[in-house]
């Protein structure tokens, strides 16, 4: 059985004197186990801000040597120095994944114990997504990107963005700012706004998106608010004397 084995050697000389020596060895034929902590990078996505320094962790048998590779199924990245499981049974390695392609990726770990037994390779999948989400803001449905007095309390603002993104929209006159978290459905977004608290003049709409991987992007659109009264005047005097005669 696996465990401590004792080797005993006994020697007897010609005078029948006997000497005995023993030596203990360990028999270990059990393949080691290893685990990989998930989700990778906190959400199973590696984004543009993370890809240069992605930390992988897990557990294993203290002293085990780990063969680690991260692959996009075409290119592979591995630690320069072999990873050894710590005395507390944990392991960690940090890798630069910028040489890997966008899309599906996986980390594969194979343990070898101090007795030379190699365990079964384990694998965990994740996504590499370093591309910011596309985002647009539509022209106002008013048709002229001008908000008038009748429209100012209910202005629809809409656009498109990558599905799964979170979205915060702001409208500002440069001094006052309105902010909303807007839901995204099927790659489109829309929200109605009361802009009556903003001053007349140029307004800027800013849509700030963060995709499921954590990549940010934003879009802006300039519009105008004009709720001023229309000024209409009549020249006075009429016909220079405020009298219209037969000839005139």
């Amino acid at each position: 059985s696996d465990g401590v084995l004792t080797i005993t050697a006994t020697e007897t000389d010609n005078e029948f004197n006997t000497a005995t020596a023993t030596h203990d060895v360990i028999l270990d034929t059990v393949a080691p186990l290893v685990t990989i902590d998930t989700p990778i990078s906190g959400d199973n996505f590696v984004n543009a801000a993370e890809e240069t320094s992605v930390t992988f962790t897990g557990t294993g048998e203290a002293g085990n040597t780990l063969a680690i590779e991260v692959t996009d199924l075409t290119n592979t990245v591995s630690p320069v120095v072999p990873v050894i499981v710590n005395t507390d049974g944990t392991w960690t390695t940090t890798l630069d994944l910028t040489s890997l392609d966008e899309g599906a990726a996986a980390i594969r770990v194979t343990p070898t114990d101090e007795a030379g037994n190699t365990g079964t390779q384990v694998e965990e999948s994740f996504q590499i997504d370093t591309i910011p989400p596309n985002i647009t803001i539509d022209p106002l449905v008013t048709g002229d990107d001008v908000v008038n007095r009748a429209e100012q309390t209910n202005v629809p603002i809409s656009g498109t963005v990558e599905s799964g993104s979170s979205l915060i929209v702001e409208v500002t006159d440069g001094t006052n700012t309105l902010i909303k978290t807007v839901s995204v459905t099927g790659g489109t977004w829309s929200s109605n706004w009361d802009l009556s608290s903003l001053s007349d003049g140029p307004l800027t709409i800013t849509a700030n998106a963060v995709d499921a991987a954590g990549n940010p992007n934003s879009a802006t659109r300039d519009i105008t608010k004009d709720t001023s009264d229309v000024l209409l005047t009549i020249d006075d005097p009429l016909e220079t004397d405020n009298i219209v005669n037969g000839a005139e």
Side-chain angles (χ1 to χ4, degrees):
S1 300
D2 279 14
V4 178
L5 302 181
T6 300
I7 301 172
T8 302
T10 301
E11 180 182 16
T12 302
D13 63 17
N14 292 333
E15 301 299 325
F16 300 102
N17 298 302
T18 300
T20 301
T22 62
H23 182 73
D24 292 336
V25 297
I26 297 175
L27 176 63
D28 181 356
T29 62
V30 178
L33 301 175
V34 68
T35 68
I36 302 169
D37 293 335
T38 57
I40 304 300
S41 200
D43 54 8
N44 270 344
F45 283 97
V46 172
N47 63 34
E50 299 165 337
E51 69 169 343
T52 60
S53 182
V54 182
T55 298
F56 300 92
T57 61
T59 62
E61 182 181 325
N64 282 2
T65 300
L66 306 180
I68 298 176
E69 64 176 21
V70 181
T71 180
D72 59 15
L73 305 183
T74 301
N75 309 291
T76 299
V77 175
S78 296
V80 175
V81 178
V83 176
I84 307 298
V85 179
N86 300 318
T87 55
D88 63 358
T90 64
W91 62 268
T92 183
T93 188
T94 299
L95 298 172
D96 181 344
L97 304 187
T98 53
S99 63
L100 301 186
D101 293 335
E102 294 281 308
I107 176 174
R108 298 167 178 164
V109 182
T110 304
T112 300
D113 66 19
E114 294 176 293
N117 301 300
T118 298
T120 301
Q121 183 184 80
V122 296
E123 177 177 320
E124 293 291 347
S125 299
F126 59 96
Q127 293 286 319
I128 298 176
D129 180 355
T130 63
I131 301 174
N134 290 323
I135 182 169
T136 65
I137 302 173
D138 297 331
L140 295 187
V141 294
T142 58
D144 55 6
D145 273 351
V146 177
V147 177
N148 62 32
R149 178 181 293 178
E151 299 162 340
Q152 66 174 334
T153 59
N154 188 28
V155 181
I157 299 176
S158 62
T160 63
V161 69
E162 180 181 317
S163 294
S165 297
S166 60
L167 182 66
I168 296 177
V169 180
E170 303 177 1
V171 184
T172 183
D173 59 16
T175 301
N176 306 294
T177 302
L178 304 175
I179 301 175
K180 281 187 183 182
T181 298
V182 180
S183 60
V184 178
T185 303
T188 63
W189 58 271
S190 180
S191 179
N192 291 341
W193 295 70
D194 181 350
L195 304 183
S196 59
S197 63
L198 300 184
S199 300
D200 276 15
L203 303 181
T204 299
I205 304 169
T206 303
N208 300 296
V210 178
D211 68 15
N215 300 296
N217 201 7
S218 63
T220 61
R221 188 175 191 87
D222 294 327
I223 62 174
T224 301
K225 180 183 176 185
D226 183 358
T227 63
S228 58
D229 293 326
V230 176
L231 297 178
L232 179 65
T233 64
I234 300 174
D235 292 337
D236 184 42
L238 191 65
E239 292 295 338
T240 71
D241 56 5
N242 273 342
I243 299 173
V244 179
N245 59 34
E248 298 168 336

